Amino acid sequence: MNVLSLTAKQIAELVLTGSLSPVDVVEAYLDRAKRLNPKINAFITIAEEQARRSAEELEKRLRKGFSGKFVGVPVAVKDVISTKGIETTCASRVLKGYIPPYDATVIRRLKAEGAIVMGKTNMDEFAMGSSTELSAYGPTRNPWNLERVVGGSSGGSGASVAARMAPIALGSDTGGSIRCPAAFCNIVGLKPTYGTVSRYGLISYACSLEQIGPMTLDVDDCALLMEVITGKDGFDSTMIDYKFKWTPREVKGLRLAVPKEFFGEGTDERVVDKVWTIIKLLESQGAVYEEISFPLARYVLACYYIIAMSEASSNLARYDGVRYGFPCDLSSPWYDSYSKVRGEGFGVEVKRRIILGCFALSAGYYGRYYLKALKLRTMIRDHVLSILKNFDVIVTPTTPFPPFKIGERIEDPLALYMADVDTVVANLAGVPAISVPAGFVDGLPVGAQFMANYCHEDLLLTIAKCIQDETKFHTKVPEEARL
Amino acid sequence: MSDSRKTIITPETLDYLSELAKLKLTEGEKKTFLRDLNRILEYFSIIDEIEVADVEPAFHVLNVSNVMREDEVGGDSLTQDEALANAGHKEEGYIKAPRMV
């Protein structure tokens, strides 16, 4: 038995029955991660010592009868999530050397179930990007084709799972940052309903949009991870009372809405074909679909970026080099010192978004950009909810194109922003959305996306499970990750 | 940029914004930002097509209201050493900041 070919659920079961030791599991994944990381660059930090120590402690606790849903399961964590005692950089120079003195709530919950943090994964700096090329630690390469991007911003988490460097990973999704890399890596990625997963310990970029969520090889691991990370937390006052629970059911009778604007101009025809194949597959299993119109599709990207950049300009004001990060210069006046820390510490996309956000919030432009975007957000949310009154889910491609070449879009921010056109709707509306493997275009993975009403993650997993069982795409392994 | 109506961010506006944002930009960054920011804003102007006069803004998607509690120190706070651990400059249990006045 090769431990690297197991799912998280299988690992935990074998550890609990004594057939596998947590130390052996961790060693196998550490060895694998260290061997592949120079090529793929999925991890910023491989927490070798901490992971070993946790595995040894876990063995002692197991002997005393400890049990949990993720016993002995290594988890790769996006470097935007705080991990006690393990460097957390947000892939930025400004936070290099920052060691959080506390765990994010999601990490605390995973540890309580016996999971072991094995490292911190690469990402676009402060989660701002759609390709994981905008990291101070260099781009992550796609295990399906090393010349291609892995998607972003949780690209390191996606690549780590796809290349079997970790069985499961956590990402964060502000405008598609879990779903895009899931699609580009042939894995499952879920953005939960806003307010169902604690954001305590998530280093903020755009608070009203972002959620932590699971990135896994299969649907069962995704469900298990959701069971552990959802649930109210006293440290996050924006939460709703919801605990995920999933009883698999049939897709028979489910009603799918197919908004034609997300299958039209600007979307690669080969991607459209793959997603339609999935829709037809669901139809063959008893689901019904109807093509509908989403006239606001044209405005979703502008609306999203104005809001995200405005919130970013406020959230990122805290990086002044005083309490943490890139140390400030005590000999200059405060404004020079702060400007220097921020000028040298932030990368170009972060600066671009802070400045645009400042502009959108400034006197004279607030009404034209920020306030208008918030009103558009109301219209978009209401439109999504009105569709979901008549349908169970909305289906779109996850991204309009397959993984592109590293460097291909990097000089043109607008071209890069286009990667998010299918995913931002769910963040603007706050509804849950999943990306499921939908097949391959020239050997590169693409994803199908499903959105449901608030707290209807169970429907998303039911559909994902049906697709998984019928296609078995999830069993395909990239060349770079052959075991 | 050929069409002056599209130039919303001038070099002076960019200087003002980078001062507001406390971001020191290099000359190279200023040059590419002027081009990129105006292109992005031109794209954003697509929202001018939509009439929103009677729509309420969605600051938040869920109906959450303020959560209040007593202003007391919780049981699980950081120690002073933990709170200071990541500061670049510190002295006698305090964080040192640059001169404010």
Side-chain angles (χ1 to χ4, degrees), chain A residues 298-299 328 351-352 378, chain B residues 29 36 49-50 56 86 89:
Chain A
R298 184 173 157 73
Y299 310 103
C328 59
K351 290 184 209 176
R352 192 154 41 214
T378 304
Chain B
E29 283 173 336
D36 292 346
E49 295 172 6
I50 286 266
E56 286 295 313
N86 283 290
H89 307 286

Side-chain angles (χ1 to χ4, degrees), chain B residues 60-72:
Chain B
H60 206 280
V61 284
L62 306 168
N63 291 323
V64 289
S65 50
N66 287 336
V67 178
M68 312 294 271
R69 66 161 174 81
E70 290 304 313
D71 186 17
E72 290 167 345

Side-chain angles (χ1 to χ4, degrees), chain A residues 227-276:
Chain A
E227 275 180 32
V228 172
I229 62 174
T230 52
K232 229 170 170 179
D233 172 29
F235 291 133
D236 180 353
S237 63
T238 60
M239 294 191 74
I240 53 172
D241 202 359
Y242 167 79
K243 187 80 188 162
F244 171 79
K245 195 146 177 42
W246 177 47
T247 316
R249 51 171 274 197
E250 286 187 349
V251 297
K252 196 175 172 189
L254 287 183
R255 297 156 303 164
L256 322 175
V258 185
K260 58 177 192 285
E261 287 81 357
F262 294 91
F263 291 77
E265 199 189 333
T267 302
D268 190 307
E269 283 177 15
R270 298 166 303 170
V271 174
V272 170
D273 274 355
K274 294 292 168 196
V275 180
W276 267 111

Side-chain angles (χ1 to χ4, degrees), chain A residues 27-71:
Chain A
E27 288 300 338
Y29 278 100
L30 283 176
D31 180 60
R32 172 83 169 173
K34 283 194 294 183
R35 203 153 40 83
L36 287 190
N37 210 44
K39 216 195 279 188
I40 295 175
N41 200 24
F43 285 95
I44 292 174
T45 306
I46 298 175
E48 211 174 333
E49 277 176 40
Q50 292 96 330
R52 279 208 181 98
R53 214 167 40 235
S54 304
E56 284 161 12
E57 280 166 21
L58 186 64
E59 297 215 334
K60 285 183 204 152
R61 289 167 68 202
L62 279 166
R63 282 196 287 272
K64 289 180 189 158
F66 174 78
S67 173
K69 291 192 176 91
F70 282 112
V71 277

Side-chain angles (χ1 to χ4, degrees), chain A residues 237-469:
Chain A
S237 63
T238 60
M239 294 191 74
I240 53 172
D241 202 359
Y242 167 79
K243 187 80 188 162
F244 171 79
K245 195 146 177 42
W246 177 47
T247 316
R249 51 171 274 197
E250 286 187 349
V251 297
K252 196 175 172 189
L254 287 183
R255 297 156 303 164
L256 322 175
V258 185
K260 58 177 192 285
E261 287 81 357
F262 294 91
F263 291 77
E265 199 189 333
T267 302
D268 190 307
E269 283 177 15
R270 298 166 303 170
V271 174
V272 170
D273 274 355
K274 294 292 168 196
V275 180
W276 267 111
T277 309
I278 296 291
I279 296 167
K280 296 286 183 187
L281 184 159
L282 290 167
E283 189 187 30
S284 74
Q285 300 298 308
V288 290
Y289 74 86
E290 192 181 313
E291 284 189 77
I292 57 148
S293 181
F294 197 105
L296 292 169
R298 184 173 157 73
Y299 310 103
V300 295
L301 263 189
C303 175
Y304 164 76
Y305 274 102
I306 292 169
I307 293 172
M309 288 174 181
S310 300
E311 291 187 15
S313 77
S314 161
N315 270 322
L316 270 64
R318 71 189 72 171
Y319 301 97
D320 51 22
V322 173
R323 287 146 300 159
Y324 36 73
F326 212 87
C328 59
D329 172 14
L330 292 180
S331 60
S332 324
W334 70 274
Y335 41 87
D336 285 342
S337 172
Y338 287 11
S339 300
K340 195 162 167 270
V341 163
R342 295 161 61 77
E344 289 173 14
F346 289 138
V348 69
E349 181 61 23
V350 174
K351 290 184 209 176
R352 192 154 41 214
R353 294 197 192 189
I354 292 175
I355 288 194
L356 268 174
C358 249
F359 178 72
L361 291 174
S362 63
Y365 292 99
Y366 175 89
R368 177 166 177 200
Y369 292 103
Y370 183 61
L371 192 63
K372 178 128 192 195
L374 291 180
K375 291 181 171 189
L376 250 173
R377 184 179 189 177
T378 304
M379 293 172 71
I380 292 166
R381 178 196 61 193
D382 291 351
H383 188 56
V384 167
L385 296 181
S386 73
I387 295 171
L388 291 171
K389 265 189 188 144
N390 299 317
F391 295 91
D392 295 295
V393 291
I394 301 172
V395 195
T396 73
T398 307
T399 59
F401 32 69
F404 46 91
K405 283 199 173 126
I406 289 177
E408 191 179 315
R409 289 170 184 259
I410 201 76
E411 294 300 326
D412 182 356
L414 274 174
L416 208 53
Y417 297 169
M418 291 303 161
D420 300 333
V421 69
D422 298 320
T423 46
V424 296
V425 172
N427 304 78
L428 289 169
V431 298
I434 197 167
S435 178
V436 188
F440 297 83
V441 167
D442 296 338
L444 298 166
V446 295
Q449 176 184 239
F450 298 85
M451 286 176 252
N453 213 327
Y454 298 122
C455 301
H456 280 59
E457 279 84 347
D458 57 326
L459 279 181
L460 299 179
L461 289 185
T462 290
I463 286 171
K465 178 78 172 169
C466 170
I467 296 167
Q468 174 177 300
D469 289 349

